[in-house]
Amino acid sequence: QVQLVESGGGLVQAGGSLRLSCAASGRTYSSYTMGWFRQAPGKEREFVAAILWSSSIGRYADSVKGRFTISRDNAKNTVYLQMDSLKPEDTAVYYCARRDGSYYYPSDHWREYDYWGQGTQVTVSS
């Protein structure tokens, strides 16, 4: 099966930056969506960003639009989340996920994703 491994989390001050990576291993389909979700203490899982692998069409939650950038590297089978201008409310465990299938626009619904990574902690202090 497909395995997803996140890395790059850590502790950063407000206004700082982090880049998360999600490396995929195993066989994959040619058409799929890669997404980032997060879950903060006492909160439900929420959508952050997603990208269609083949076309690089992206989608962002309103709360991160203009601050976060999602991208992918075909050769490395890796998706990235560049996080700039971080805020304390960005503190959460960030999860990488994959949704199989061909679509015109990335999904923001976590229930529609098929595979999940183990998560990486992002803590933003002030």
Side-chain angles (χ1 to χ4, degrees):
Q1 288 187 318
V2 174
Q3 292 192 30
L4 306 175
V5 180
E6 304 98 329
S7 62
L11 175 64
V12 64
Q13 293 187 21
S17 298
L18 284 173
R19 189 177 80 155
L20 306 183
S21 298
C22 175
S25 62
R27 292 287 295 167
T28 62
Y29 295 106
S30 59
S31 298
Y32 53 92
T33 306
M34 295 297 299
W36 288 97
F37 294 79
R38 67 188 183 187
Q39 188 165 21
K43 301 288 186 178
E44 295 188 353
R45 191 180 310 176
E46 68 173 345
F47 171 76
V48 178
I51 186 170
L52 300 182
W53 190 262
S54 61
S55 65
S56 294
I57 293 175
R59 181 179 183 175
Y60 300 90
D62 289 340
S63 60
V64 307
K65 196 172 298 182
R67 300 188 297 121
F68 291 9
T69 304
I70 189 169
S71 62
R72 89 286 190 274
D73 187 326
N74 284 332
K76 296 182 178 181
N77 291 318
T78 300
V79 63
Y80 304 96
L81 184 67
Q82 177 66 43
M83 305 185 294
D84 298 319
S85 302
L86 283 162
K87 305 174 181 179
E89 50 262 46
D90 295 318
T91 296
V93 176
Y94 284 70
Y95 297 93
C96 175
R98 195 184 87 165
R99 183 196 191 196
D100 288 337
S102 180
Y103 300 93
Y104 291 106
Y105 198 61
S107 171
D108 63 350
H109 297 159
W110 68 268
R111 292 183 182 271
E112 296 180 345
Y113 285 77
D114 303 295
Y115 304 97
W116 293 84
Q118 82 289 347
T120 185
Q121 176 70 47
V122 172
T123 302
V124 184
S125 65
S126 59

